[in-house]
């Protein structure tokens, strides 16, 4: 009986380890996806900032508070 209980404990430990490794992998994938998404949105924000800076530097009528000319 002691040997079978030890085997059962080892199996449970293996299942526990694999389950946690899988959960950590899923969390890592979610983190990577969020990081990529944040980088994409930051590039869009940077492009819009550049457009606004270009418009503000251009000669002519300055935009009002709402951003309209």
């Amino acid at each position: 009986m002691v040997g079978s209980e030890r085997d059962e404990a080892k199996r449970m430990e293996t299942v526990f380890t694999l389950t946690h490794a899988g959960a950590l992998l899923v969390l890592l994938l979610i983190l990577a996806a969020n990081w990529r998404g944040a980088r994409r949105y930051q590039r869009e924000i940077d492009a819009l900032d550049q457009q606004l800076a270009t418009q503000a530097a251009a000669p002519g009528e300055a935009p009002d508070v709402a951003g309209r000319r």
Side-chain angles (χ1 to χ4, degrees):
M1 279 298 211
V2 173
S4 65
E5 289 175 1
R6 188 174 301 138
D7 291 342
E8 180 67 24
K10 285 183 180 181
R11 278 193 297 273
M12 288 177 63
E13 182 180 354
T14 301
V15 168
F16 179 82
T17 302
L18 292 175
T19 300
H20 281 80
L24 287 174
L25 179 61
V26 167
L27 289 175
L28 182 62
L29 291 172
I30 291 170
L31 180 65
N34 285 337
W35 182 71
R36 289 185 65 190
R39 282 185 51 206
R40 185 182 72 227
Y41 287 123
Q42 187 60 49
R43 282 193 301 269
E44 291 179 14
I45 290 169
D46 291 343
L48 291 172
D49 284 344
Q50 183 64 35
Q51 288 177 1
L52 288 174
T54 302
Q55 288 176 356
E61 192 176 318
D64 65 8
V65 177
R68 295 180 299 263
R69 286 191 176 241

Short mmCIF file of all heavy atoms in Angstrom, two decimals:
data_model
loop_
_atom_site.label_atom_id
_atom_site.label_comp_id
_atom_site.label_asym_id
_atom_site.label_seq_id
_atom_site.Cartn_x
_atom_site.Cartn_y
_atom_site.Cartn_z
N MET A 1 0.81 -1.22 0.00
CA MET A 1 0.00 0.00 0.00
C MET A 1 0.84 1.27 0.00
O MET A 1 0.48 2.24 -0.64
CB MET A 1 -0.91 0.04 1.24
CG MET A 1 -2.15 -0.78 1.09
SD MET A 1 -3.12 -0.14 -0.25
CE MET A 1 -4.71 -0.53 0.29
N VAL A 2 1.95 1.24 0.72
CA VAL A 2 2.78 2.43 0.81
C VAL A 2 3.33 2.80 -0.56
O VAL A 2 3.37 3.95 -0.94
CB VAL A 2 3.92 2.21 1.82
CG1 VAL A 2 4.88 3.39 1.80
CG2 VAL A 2 3.37 1.99 3.21
N GLY A 3 3.75 1.80 -1.36
CA GLY A 3 4.27 2.06 -2.69
C GLY A 3 3.23 2.66 -3.60
O GLY A 3 3.52 3.58 -4.38
N SER A 4 2.00 2.17 -3.54
CA SER A 4 0.95 2.71 -4.41
C SER A 4 0.55 4.13 -3.99
O SER A 4 0.22 4.96 -4.82
CB SER A 4 -0.27 1.79 -4.41
OG SER A 4 -0.86 1.76 -3.13
N GLU A 5 0.60 4.40 -2.69
CA GLU A 5 0.31 5.76 -2.22
C GLU A 5 1.41 6.72 -2.68
O GLU A 5 1.12 7.86 -3.05
CB GLU A 5 0.19 5.79 -0.70
CG GLU A 5 -1.06 5.11 -0.18
CD GLU A 5 -1.10 5.04 1.34
OE1 GLU A 5 -0.15 5.54 1.99
OE2 GLU A 5 -2.07 4.50 1.86
N ARG A 6 2.63 6.25 -2.67
CA ARG A 6 3.74 7.08 -3.13
C ARG A 6 3.60 7.35 -4.62
O ARG A 6 3.82 8.47 -5.08
CB ARG A 6 5.06 6.38 -2.84
CG ARG A 6 6.26 7.26 -3.12
CD ARG A 6 7.57 6.61 -2.71
NE ARG A 6 7.54 6.30 -1.29
CZ ARG A 6 8.00 5.15 -0.77
NH1 ARG A 6 8.54 4.24 -1.55
NH2 ARG A 6 7.95 4.93 0.53
N ASP A 7 3.22 6.33 -5.40
CA ASP A 7 3.01 6.52 -6.83
C ASP A 7 1.87 7.51 -7.10
O ASP A 7 1.97 8.35 -7.99
CB ASP A 7 2.70 5.18 -7.51
CG ASP A 7 3.90 4.25 -7.55
OD1 ASP A 7 5.04 4.75 -7.37
OD2 ASP A 7 3.70 3.04 -7.74
N GLU A 8 0.82 7.36 -6.30
CA GLU A 8 -0.31 8.29 -6.45
C GLU A 8 0.12 9.72 -6.13
O GLU A 8 -0.26 10.66 -6.83
CB GLU A 8 -1.46 7.86 -5.54
CG GLU A 8 -2.69 8.76 -5.61
CD GLU A 8 -3.40 8.71 -6.95
OE1 GLU A 8 -3.26 7.71 -7.66
OE2 GLU A 8 -4.10 9.69 -7.27
N ALA A 9 0.91 9.89 -5.10
CA ALA A 9 1.39 11.22 -4.73
C ALA A 9 2.27 11.79 -5.85
O ALA A 9 2.18 12.99 -6.17
CB ALA A 9 2.16 11.16 -3.42
N LYS A 10 3.11 10.98 -6.45
CA LYS A 10 3.95 11.45 -7.55
C LYS A 10 3.10 11.85 -8.75
O LYS A 10 3.39 12.84 -9.43
CB LYS A 10 4.95 10.36 -7.95
CG LYS A 10 6.09 10.22 -6.98
CD LYS A 10 7.09 9.18 -7.48
CE LYS A 10 8.23 9.03 -6.49
NZ LYS A 10 9.22 8.05 -6.95
N ARG A 11 2.06 11.06 -9.04
CA ARG A 11 1.17 11.42 -10.16
C ARG A 11 0.46 12.73 -9.88
O ARG A 11 0.35 13.59 -10.77
CB ARG A 11 0.15 10.30 -10.40
CG ARG A 11 0.68 9.15 -11.23
CD ARG A 11 -0.44 8.25 -11.70
NE ARG A 11 -1.14 7.60 -10.60
CZ ARG A 11 -0.78 6.43 -10.04
NH1 ARG A 11 0.27 5.79 -10.51
NH2 ARG A 11 -1.47 5.92 -9.06
N MET A 12 -0.02 12.90 -8.65
CA MET A 12 -0.70 14.14 -8.30
C MET A 12 0.26 15.33 -8.41
O MET A 12 -0.12 16.41 -8.87
CB MET A 12 -1.30 14.05 -6.90
CG MET A 12 -2.51 13.13 -6.82
SD MET A 12 -3.15 12.97 -5.15
CE MET A 12 -3.64 14.62 -4.81
N GLU A 13 1.51 15.14 -7.98
CA GLU A 13 2.50 16.21 -8.07
C GLU A 13 2.78 16.55 -9.53
O GLU A 13 2.89 17.72 -9.90
CB GLU A 13 3.79 15.79 -7.37
CG GLU A 13 4.84 16.87 -7.37
CD GLU A 13 6.11 16.42 -6.66
OE1 GLU A 13 6.14 15.33 -6.09
OE2 GLU A 13 7.08 17.20 -6.70
N THR A 14 2.84 15.53 -10.38
CA THR A 14 3.08 15.75 -11.81
C THR A 14 1.92 16.52 -12.43
O THR A 14 2.12 17.47 -13.19
CB THR A 14 3.29 14.41 -12.53
OG1 THR A 14 4.41 13.74 -11.95
CG2 THR A 14 3.52 14.62 -14.01
N VAL A 15 0.70 16.12 -12.10
CA VAL A 15 -0.47 16.81 -12.62
C VAL A 15 -0.49 18.25 -12.14
O VAL A 15 -0.75 19.18 -12.92
CB VAL A 15 -1.77 16.06 -12.21
CG1 VAL A 15 -3.00 16.91 -12.49
CG2 VAL A 15 -1.85 14.74 -12.93
N PHE A 16 -0.18 18.45 -10.87
CA PHE A 16 -0.14 19.80 -10.29
C PHE A 16 0.89 20.65 -11.04
O PHE A 16 0.62 21.79 -11.43
CB PHE A 16 0.22 19.70 -8.81
CG PHE A 16 0.33 21.02 -8.10
CD1 PHE A 16 -0.81 21.65 -7.64
CD2 PHE A 16 1.56 21.60 -7.88
CE1 PHE A 16 -0.72 22.87 -6.99
CE2 PHE A 16 1.66 22.80 -7.22
CZ PHE A 16 0.52 23.44 -6.77
N THR A 17 2.08 20.11 -11.25
CA THR A 17 3.15 20.84 -11.92
C THR A 17 2.77 21.18 -13.36
O THR A 17 2.96 22.31 -13.82
CB THR A 17 4.45 20.02 -11.90
OG1 THR A 17 4.80 19.75 -10.54
CG2 THR A 17 5.58 20.75 -12.57
N LEU A 18 2.23 20.21 -14.08
CA LEU A 18 1.85 20.45 -15.47
C LEU A 18 0.71 21.45 -15.58
O LEU A 18 0.68 22.29 -16.49
CB LEU A 18 1.48 19.14 -16.16
CG LEU A 18 2.64 18.16 -16.39
CD1 LEU A 18 2.12 16.85 -16.95
CD2 LEU A 18 3.68 18.78 -17.30
N THR A 19 -0.23 21.37 -14.65
CA THR A 19 -1.35 22.31 -14.64
C THR A 19 -0.84 23.74 -14.43
O THR A 19 -1.25 24.67 -15.14
CB THR A 19 -2.36 21.94 -13.55
OG1 THR A 19 -2.84 20.63 -13.79
CG2 THR A 19 -3.53 22.90 -13.51
N HIS A 20 0.05 23.91 -13.48
CA HIS A 20 0.57 25.24 -13.22
C HIS A 20 1.46 25.73 -14.36
O HIS A 20 1.44 26.92 -14.69
CB HIS A 20 1.30 25.27 -11.89
CG HIS A 20 0.37 25.36 -10.74
ND1 HIS A 20 -0.29 24.27 -10.25
CD2 HIS A 20 -0.05 26.42 -10.01
CE1 HIS A 20 -1.07 24.65 -9.26
NE2 HIS A 20 -0.95 25.94 -9.09
N ALA A 21 2.21 24.84 -14.95
CA ALA A 21 3.03 25.23 -16.10
C ALA A 21 2.13 25.68 -17.25
O ALA A 21 2.42 26.67 -17.93
CB ALA A 21 3.92 24.08 -16.53
N GLY A 22 1.04 24.97 -17.47
CA GLY A 22 0.09 25.36 -18.52
C GLY A 22 -0.56 26.70 -18.22
O GLY A 22 -0.72 27.54 -19.12
N ALA A 23 -0.93 26.90 -16.96
CA ALA A 23 -1.55 28.18 -16.59
C ALA A 23 -0.56 29.33 -16.77
O ALA A 23 -0.94 30.41 -17.26
CB ALA A 23 -2.02 28.12 -15.14
N LEU A 24 0.68 29.12 -16.41
CA LEU A 24 1.69 30.17 -16.59
C LEU A 24 1.92 30.45 -18.08
O LEU A 24 2.11 31.61 -18.47
CB LEU A 24 3.00 29.77 -15.92
CG LEU A 24 2.99 29.83 -14.39
CD1 LEU A 24 4.30 29.29 -13.83
CD2 LEU A 24 2.75 31.24 -13.90
N LEU A 25 1.88 29.42 -18.88
CA LEU A 25 2.04 29.61 -20.32
C LEU A 25 0.89 30.44 -20.89
O LEU A 25 1.11 31.36 -21.69
CB LEU A 25 2.12 28.27 -21.03
CG LEU A 25 2.26 28.31 -22.56
CD1 LEU A 25 3.55 29.03 -22.94
CD2 LEU A 25 2.23 26.92 -23.14
N VAL A 26 -0.32 30.15 -20.47
CA VAL A 26 -1.48 30.92 -20.92
C VAL A 26 -1.35 32.37 -20.48
O VAL A 26 -1.60 33.30 -21.28
CB VAL A 26 -2.79 30.29 -20.38
CG1 VAL A 26 -3.97 31.23 -20.57
CG2 VAL A 26 -3.04 28.96 -21.06
N LEU A 27 -0.94 32.61 -19.24
CA LEU A 27 -0.77 33.98 -18.78
C LEU A 27 0.33 34.71 -19.56
O LEU A 27 0.19 35.89 -19.88
CB LEU A 27 -0.43 33.99 -17.28
CG LEU A 27 -1.58 33.62 -16.36
CD1 LEU A 27 -1.09 33.53 -14.92
CD2 LEU A 27 -2.72 34.60 -16.48
N LEU A 28 1.38 34.00 -19.89
CA LEU A 28 2.45 34.60 -20.70
C LEU A 28 1.95 34.96 -22.09
O LEU A 28 2.27 36.03 -22.61
CB LEU A 28 3.63 33.63 -20.79
CG LEU A 28 4.84 34.12 -21.56
CD1 LEU A 28 5.44 35.34 -20.90
CD2 LEU A 28 5.86 33.02 -21.68
N LEU A 29 1.15 34.11 -22.68
CA LEU A 29 0.58 34.40 -24.00
C LEU A 29 -0.35 35.61 -23.95
O LEU A 29 -0.34 36.45 -24.85
CB LEU A 29 -0.14 33.18 -24.56
CG LEU A 29 0.75 31.99 -24.94
CD1 LEU A 29 -0.10 30.79 -25.30
CD2 LEU A 29 1.68 32.36 -26.06
N ILE A 30 -1.14 35.70 -22.90
CA ILE A 30 -2.04 36.86 -22.74
C ILE A 30 -1.22 38.13 -22.57
O ILE A 30 -1.52 39.17 -23.18
CB ILE A 30 -2.99 36.64 -21.54
CG1 ILE A 30 -3.99 35.53 -21.87
CG2 ILE A 30 -3.70 37.93 -21.16
CD1 ILE A 30 -4.80 35.08 -20.68
N LEU A 31 -0.17 38.06 -21.77
CA LEU A 31 0.69 39.22 -21.56
C LEU A 31 1.34 39.66 -22.87
O LEU A 31 1.38 40.85 -23.19
CB LEU A 31 1.77 38.89 -20.53
CG LEU A 31 2.76 39.99 -20.19
CD1 LEU A 31 2.05 41.16 -19.53
CD2 LEU A 31 3.85 39.45 -19.30
N ALA A 32 1.81 38.71 -23.65
CA ALA A 32 2.44 39.04 -24.94
C ALA A 32 1.43 39.67 -25.89
O ALA A 32 1.75 40.65 -26.57
CB ALA A 32 3.05 37.78 -25.55
N ALA A 33 0.22 39.14 -25.93
CA ALA A 33 -0.81 39.71 -26.81
C ALA A 33 -1.16 41.14 -26.38
O ALA A 33 -1.33 42.03 -27.22
CB ALA A 33 -2.05 38.82 -26.80
N ASN A 34 -1.29 41.36 -25.08
CA ASN A 34 -1.60 42.71 -24.59
C ASN A 34 -0.47 43.68 -24.89
O ASN A 34 -0.71 44.84 -25.24
CB ASN A 34 -1.88 42.68 -23.09
CG ASN A 34 -3.23 42.10 -22.77
OD1 ASN A 34 -4.11 42.11 -23.61
ND2 ASN A 34 -3.39 41.59 -21.56
N TRP A 35 0.77 43.21 -24.76
CA TRP A 35 1.92 44.07 -25.04
C TRP A 35 1.95 44.47 -26.51
O TRP A 35 2.17 45.62 -26.85
CB TRP A 35 3.19 43.33 -24.64
CG TRP A 35 4.43 44.12 -24.85
CD1 TRP A 35 4.87 45.21 -24.13
CD2 TRP A 35 5.42 43.91 -25.86
NE1 TRP A 35 6.06 45.66 -24.63
CE2 TRP A 35 6.43 44.88 -25.68
CE3 TRP A 35 5.56 42.97 -26.87
CZ2 TRP A 35 7.54 44.94 -26.51
CZ3 TRP A 35 6.67 43.04 -27.69
CH2 TRP A 35 7.64 44.01 -27.50
N ARG A 36 1.69 43.50 -27.39
CA ARG A 36 1.66 43.80 -28.82
C ARG A 36 0.54 44.78 -29.15
O ARG A 36 0.71 45.70 -29.96
CB ARG A 36 1.50 42.52 -29.63
CG ARG A 36 2.74 41.65 -29.62
CD ARG A 36 2.58 40.47 -30.51
NE ARG A 36 2.47 40.96 -31.89
CZ ARG A 36 2.15 40.21 -32.90
NH1 ARG A 36 1.89 38.93 -32.73
NH2 ARG A 36 2.09 40.71 -34.12
N GLY A 37 -0.63 44.57 -28.55
CA GLY A 37 -1.75 45.49 -28.78
C GLY A 37 -1.44 46.89 -28.29
O GLY A 37 -1.75 47.88 -28.95
N ALA A 38 -0.81 46.98 -27.12
CA ALA A 38 -0.45 48.29 -26.58
C ALA A 38 0.56 48.99 -27.49
O ALA A 38 0.47 50.20 -27.71
CB ALA A 38 0.12 48.14 -25.17
N ARG A 39 1.50 48.25 -28.03
CA ARG A 39 2.48 48.84 -28.96
C ARG A 39 1.78 49.36 -30.22
O ARG A 39 2.11 50.43 -30.71
CB ARG A 39 3.53 47.81 -29.35
CG ARG A 39 4.57 47.60 -28.29
CD ARG A 39 5.67 46.66 -28.74
NE ARG A 39 6.21 47.07 -30.02
CZ ARG A 39 6.78 46.24 -30.88
NH1 ARG A 39 6.89 44.98 -30.60
NH2 ARG A 39 7.25 46.68 -32.03
N ARG A 40 0.80 48.59 -30.73
CA ARG A 40 0.07 49.02 -31.93
C ARG A 40 -0.67 50.32 -31.67
O ARG A 40 -0.60 51.27 -32.45
CB ARG A 40 -0.89 47.92 -32.37
CG ARG A 40 -1.60 48.26 -33.69
CD ARG A 40 -2.59 47.22 -34.10
NE ARG A 40 -3.75 47.29 -33.23
CZ ARG A 40 -4.32 46.25 -32.64
NH1 ARG A 40 -3.86 45.05 -32.82
NH2 ARG A 40 -5.36 46.41 -31.88
N TYR A 41 -1.37 50.40 -30.54
CA TYR A 41 -2.11 51.61 -30.23
C TYR A 41 -1.17 52.78 -29.97
O TYR A 41 -1.48 53.91 -30.33
CB TYR A 41 -3.04 51.41 -29.04
CG TYR A 41 -4.24 50.57 -29.40
CD1 TYR A 41 -4.54 49.40 -28.71
CD2 TYR A 41 -5.07 50.94 -30.45
CE1 TYR A 41 -5.63 48.61 -29.06
CE2 TYR A 41 -6.17 50.16 -30.80
CZ TYR A 41 -6.44 49.01 -30.10
OH TYR A 41 -7.50 48.24 -30.44
N GLN A 42 -0.01 52.51 -29.38
CA GLN A 42 0.94 53.59 -29.14
C GLN A 42 1.48 54.13 -30.46
O GLN A 42 1.67 55.33 -30.60
CB GLN A 42 2.10 53.10 -28.26
CG GLN A 42 3.04 54.22 -27.85
CD GLN A 42 2.33 55.30 -27.06
OE1 GLN A 42 1.61 55.01 -26.11
NE2 GLN A 42 2.52 56.55 -27.45
N ARG A 43 1.70 53.25 -31.43
CA ARG A 43 2.14 53.73 -32.75
C ARG A 43 1.07 54.61 -33.39
O ARG A 43 1.38 55.63 -34.02
CB ARG A 43 2.47 52.53 -33.66
CG ARG A 43 3.81 51.91 -33.39
CD ARG A 43 4.22 50.96 -34.48
NE ARG A 43 3.28 49.87 -34.70
CZ ARG A 43 3.34 48.68 -34.11
NH1 ARG A 43 4.30 48.43 -33.25
NH2 ARG A 43 2.45 47.76 -34.37
N GLU A 44 -0.20 54.23 -33.24
CA GLU A 44 -1.29 55.06 -33.79
C GLU A 44 -1.33 56.42 -33.09
O GLU A 44 -1.51 57.45 -33.75
CB GLU A 44 -2.62 54.34 -33.63
CG GLU A 44 -2.77 53.11 -34.52
CD GLU A 44 -4.09 52.41 -34.32
OE1 GLU A 44 -5.00 52.99 -33.70
OE2 GLU A 44 -4.21 51.26 -34.78
N ILE A 45 -1.16 56.42 -31.79
CA ILE A 45 -1.16 57.69 -31.04
C ILE A 45 0.02 58.55 -31.47
O ILE A 45 -0.12 59.76 -31.66
CB ILE A 45 -1.12 57.40 -29.52
CG1 ILE A 45 -2.46 56.81 -29.07
CG2 ILE A 45 -0.79 58.67 -28.73
CD1 ILE A 45 -2.44 56.26 -27.67
N ASP A 46 1.19 57.94 -31.63
CA ASP A 46 2.37 58.69 -32.08
C ASP A 46 2.14 59.29 -33.47
O ASP A 46 2.54 60.44 -33.73
CB ASP A 46 3.60 57.80 -32.09
CG ASP A 46 4.05 57.41 -30.68
OD1 ASP A 46 3.63 58.09 -29.71
OD2 ASP A 46 4.81 56.43 -30.56
N ALA A 47 1.51 58.54 -34.36
CA ALA A 47 1.24 59.05 -35.70
C ALA A 47 0.27 60.23 -35.64
O ALA A 47 0.46 61.24 -36.33
CB ALA A 47 0.67 57.94 -36.59
N LEU A 48 -0.75 60.13 -34.81
CA LEU A 48 -1.70 61.24 -34.66
C LEU A 48 -1.02 62.46 -34.04
O LEU A 48 -1.28 63.60 -34.44
CB LEU A 48 -2.90 60.81 -33.82
CG LEU A 48 -3.84 59.80 -34.47
CD1 LEU A 48 -4.88 59.32 -33.48
CD2 LEU A 48 -4.50 60.40 -35.69
N ASP A 49 -0.15 62.23 -33.05
CA ASP A 49 0.60 63.35 -32.46
C ASP A 49 1.46 64.03 -33.51
O ASP A 49 1.56 65.26 -33.54
CB ASP A 49 1.48 62.86 -31.31
CG ASP A 49 0.69 62.57 -30.05
OD1 ASP A 49 -0.47 63.03 -29.94
OD2 ASP A 49 1.24 61.90 -29.16
N GLN A 50 2.08 63.23 -34.36
CA GLN A 50 2.92 63.80 -35.41
C GLN A 50 2.09 64.62 -36.39
O GLN A 50 2.50 65.70 -36.81
CB GLN A 50 3.66 62.68 -36.16
CG GLN A 50 4.60 63.17 -37.23
CD GLN A 50 5.74 63.97 -36.65
OE1 GLN A 50 6.22 63.69 -35.57
NE2 GLN A 50 6.16 64.99 -37.38
N GLN A 51 0.90 64.12 -36.74
CA GLN A 51 0.02 64.88 -37.62
C GLN A 51 -0.39 66.21 -36.99
O GLN A 51 -0.40 67.25 -37.66
CB GLN A 51 -1.23 64.06 -37.95
CG GLN A 51 -0.99 62.91 -38.89
CD GLN A 51 -2.26 62.10 -39.10
OE1 GLN A 51 -3.32 62.43 -38.57
NE2 GLN A 51 -2.14 61.03 -39.87
N LEU A 52 -0.71 66.16 -35.70
CA LEU A 52 -1.09 67.40 -35.02
C LEU A 52 0.07 68.38 -34.97
O LEU A 52 -0.11 69.59 -35.16
CB LEU A 52 -1.59 67.10 -33.61
CG LEU A 52 -2.96 66.45 -33.51
CD1 LEU A 52 -3.26 66.06 -32.06
CD2 LEU A 52 -4.03 67.37 -34.05
N ALA A 53 1.27 67.88 -34.72
CA ALA A 53 2.44 68.75 -34.67
C ALA A 53 2.71 69.35 -36.05
O ALA A 53 3.07 70.53 -36.15
CB ALA A 53 3.65 67.96 -34.19
N THR A 54 2.52 68.57 -37.09
CA THR A 54 2.72 69.06 -38.45
C THR A 54 1.70 70.13 -38.79
O THR A 54 2.04 71.16 -39.38
CB THR A 54 2.63 67.90 -39.46
OG1 THR A 54 3.59 66.92 -39.12
CG2 THR A 54 2.88 68.38 -40.87
N GLN A 55 0.47 69.90 -38.40
CA GLN A 55 -0.58 70.89 -38.67
C GLN A 55 -0.33 72.17 -37.89
O GLN A 55 -0.55 73.27 -38.40
CB GLN A 55 -1.96 70.33 -38.31
CG GLN A 55 -2.45 69.27 -39.26
CD GLN A 55 -3.77 68.68 -38.80
OE1 GLN A 55 -4.27 69.02 -37.74
NE2 GLN A 55 -4.30 67.77 -39.59
N ALA A 56 0.13 72.04 -36.66
CA ALA A 56 0.37 73.23 -35.84
C ALA A 56 1.56 74.02 -36.37
O ALA A 56 1.58 75.25 -36.26
CB ALA A 56 0.62 72.82 -34.40
N ALA A 57 2.52 73.35 -36.96
CA ALA A 57 3.70 74.04 -37.49
C ALA A 57 3.44 74.64 -38.86
O ALA A 57 4.19 75.50 -39.30
CB ALA A 57 4.87 73.06 -37.57
N ALA A 58 2.40 74.20 -39.54
CA ALA A 58 2.11 74.71 -40.88
C ALA A 58 1.60 76.14 -40.79
O ALA A 58 0.86 76.50 -39.88
CB ALA A 58 1.07 73.83 -41.56
N PRO A 59 2.00 76.96 -41.74
CA PRO A 59 1.50 78.34 -41.73
C PRO A 59 0.01 78.36 -42.07
O PRO A 59 -0.52 77.47 -42.71
CB PRO A 59 2.32 79.03 -42.83
CG PRO A 59 2.78 77.92 -43.72
CD PRO A 59 2.90 76.70 -42.84
N GLY A 60 -0.65 79.36 -41.60
CA GLY A 60 -2.08 79.48 -41.89
C GLY A 60 -2.86 79.65 -40.61
O GLY A 60 -2.33 79.99 -39.56
N GLU A 61 -4.11 79.40 -40.73
CA GLU A 61 -5.01 79.59 -39.61
C GLU A 61 -4.77 78.53 -38.54
O GLU A 61 -4.71 77.34 -38.82
CB GLU A 61 -6.45 79.49 -40.13
CG GLU A 61 -7.48 79.95 -39.14
CD GLU A 61 -8.86 79.90 -39.76
OE1 GLU A 61 -8.98 80.30 -40.93
OE2 GLU A 61 -9.77 79.45 -39.08
N ALA A 62 -4.63 78.94 -37.31
CA ALA A 62 -4.39 78.01 -36.20
C ALA A 62 -5.70 77.33 -35.81
O ALA A 62 -6.77 77.94 -35.86
CB ALA A 62 -3.82 78.76 -35.01
N PRO A 63 -5.64 76.07 -35.42
CA PRO A 63 -6.86 75.39 -34.99
C PRO A 63 -7.36 75.96 -33.66
O PRO A 63 -6.57 76.42 -32.86
CB PRO A 63 -6.44 73.93 -34.83
CG PRO A 63 -4.97 73.93 -34.78
CD PRO A 63 -4.50 75.21 -35.39
N ASP A 64 -8.66 75.92 -33.49
CA ASP A 64 -9.20 76.39 -32.22
C ASP A 64 -9.12 75.27 -31.18
O ASP A 64 -8.55 74.23 -31.42
CB ASP A 64 -10.64 76.91 -32.38
CG ASP A 64 -11.62 75.82 -32.79
OD1 ASP A 64 -11.23 74.64 -32.81
OD2 ASP A 64 -12.77 76.15 -33.05
N VAL A 65 -9.71 75.49 -30.02
CA VAL A 65 -9.61 74.53 -28.92
C VAL A 65 -10.14 73.15 -29.32
O VAL A 65 -9.59 72.14 -28.92
CB VAL A 65 -10.37 75.07 -27.68
CG1 VAL A 65 -10.35 74.07 -26.56
CG2 VAL A 65 -9.77 76.38 -27.23
N ALA A 66 -11.18 73.10 -30.11
CA ALA A 66 -11.78 71.82 -30.52
C ALA A 66 -10.98 71.16 -31.63
O ALA A 66 -11.30 70.05 -32.02
CB ALA A 66 -13.22 72.02 -30.96
N GLY A 67 -9.96 71.80 -32.15
CA GLY A 67 -9.15 71.20 -33.18
C GLY A 67 -9.64 71.48 -34.59
O GLY A 67 -9.12 70.94 -35.55
N ARG A 68 -10.65 72.35 -34.73
CA ARG A 68 -11.18 72.67 -36.04
C ARG A 68 -10.49 73.93 -36.56
O ARG A 68 -10.08 74.78 -35.79
CB ARG A 68 -12.69 72.90 -35.97
CG ARG A 68 -13.47 71.65 -35.59
CD ARG A 68 -14.95 71.96 -35.55
NE ARG A 68 -15.24 72.98 -34.54
CZ ARG A 68 -15.66 72.71 -33.32
NH1 ARG A 68 -15.81 71.46 -32.94
NH2 ARG A 68 -15.91 73.66 -32.47
N ARG A 69 -10.41 74.03 -37.87
CA ARG A 69 -9.81 75.24 -38.47
C ARG A 69 -10.88 76.25 -38.80
O ARG A 69 -11.96 76.01 -39.05
CB ARG A 69 -9.06 74.87 -39.74
CG ARG A 69 -7.79 74.16 -39.36
CD ARG A 69 -6.91 74.03 -40.58
NE ARG A 69 -5.68 73.44 -40.14
CZ ARG A 69 -4.50 74.03 -40.25
NH1 ARG A 69 -4.40 75.20 -40.81
NH2 ARG A 69 -3.43 73.45 -39.81
#
